[in-house]
Amino acid sequence: TGELVERLHAVNARAIGLTEALLLLSRADQRSFARETVDLSLLAEQAAETLLPLAEKHGITVDTSGDPAPTNGSPALLLQLTTNLVQNAVVHNRPGGGSVWVTTGTEPRGVALTVENTGEQLTTGLIATLTEPFRRGSERIRGDHAGVGLGLAIVGSIVRAHDGTLTLAPRAGGGLRVTVRLPPTFP
């Protein structure tokens, strides 16, 4: 019976996680949130700090760098976006000895947050499917923290709700580079 209780607990936890993810996706799609000035560089540091135990467990280093990147938006949704990207970069990486780089800065037309990781060589075709709900590239699934396949779908939805763009590209040496570009703040 202990094994059954454990299995039921895992199923319940997945159902709760899926429900929370779908609610977040819906809220972002409806743009039903207040906007305030948010600095992506501070969110990057917060996400990296929160995920440090997970990174250490996987033997992954997480480096954050860059300049302030102020934009207008929902602090909660933009933190979720940043956390999802960093978590994906940690989990879908080379086990033991992989790296994640999180950089922020301003660009001529706004601000950018880039999350890169080491990992397997990814094809452009696979990368094109990663933002689709419930799609997880088979090469990128790990047993723990595999998620429900909504992480990048939520990121895409949050980016759209903030009038931004999301770009995914393979890294030359393997892994993924994800760049979020958002409008600048207006005084």
Side-chain angles (χ1 to χ4, degrees), residues 2-180:
E3 185 181 322
L4 176 61
V5 169
E6 204 171 293
R7 195 174 310 144
L8 289 172
H9 178 71
V11 168
N12 190 38
R14 274 196 303 272
I16 291 169
L18 176 59
T19 302
E20 288 173 348
L22 288 168
L23 286 171
L24 189 63
L25 191 59
S26 171
R27 186 163 58 127
D29 281 340
Q30 293 171 14
R31 296 177 179 235
S32 58
F33 53 85
R35 291 176 186 261
E36 57 189 82
T37 300
V38 183
D39 184 347
L40 296 180
S41 69
L42 298 178
L43 298 183
E45 289 175 13
Q46 188 176 346
E49 187 177 316
T50 299
L51 292 165
L52 185 61
L54 179 65
E56 288 176 344
K57 176 184 169 190
H58 286 273
I60 306 294
T61 60
V62 179
D63 293 317
T64 58
S65 63
D67 298 318
T71 189
N72 289 320
S74 160
L77 289 175
L78 291 173
L79 177 59
Q80 185 69 50
L81 172 151
T82 307
T83 302
N84 282 13
L85 290 178
V86 175
Q87 182 174 352
N88 280 350
V90 167
V91 173
H92 304 296
N93 207 314
R94 282 196 313 246
S99 299
V100 173
W101 302 275
V102 185
T103 55
T104 56
T106 57
E107 296 185 340
R109 286 189 230 132
V111 297
L113 165 74
T114 301
V115 179
E116 298 182 65
N117 69 324
T118 52
E120 295 186 30
Q121 200 72 47
L122 301 173
T123 66
T124 311
L126 173 64
I127 289 172
T129 68
L130 294 179
T131 58
E132 296 173 14
F134 306 111
R135 292 293 299 268
R136 297 175 291 184
S138 59
E139 296 95 332
R140 296 172 55 79
I141 295 176
R142 287 246 161 41
D144 55 342
H145 296 279
V148 294
L150 280 171
L152 284 175
I154 288 170
V155 166
S157 182
I158 293 170
V159 168
R160 284 189 305 277
H162 286 80
D163 301 312
T165 61
L166 175 65
T167 308
L168 280 68
R171 288 185 69 248
L176 186 65
R177 174 184 295 114
V178 180
T179 303
V180 173

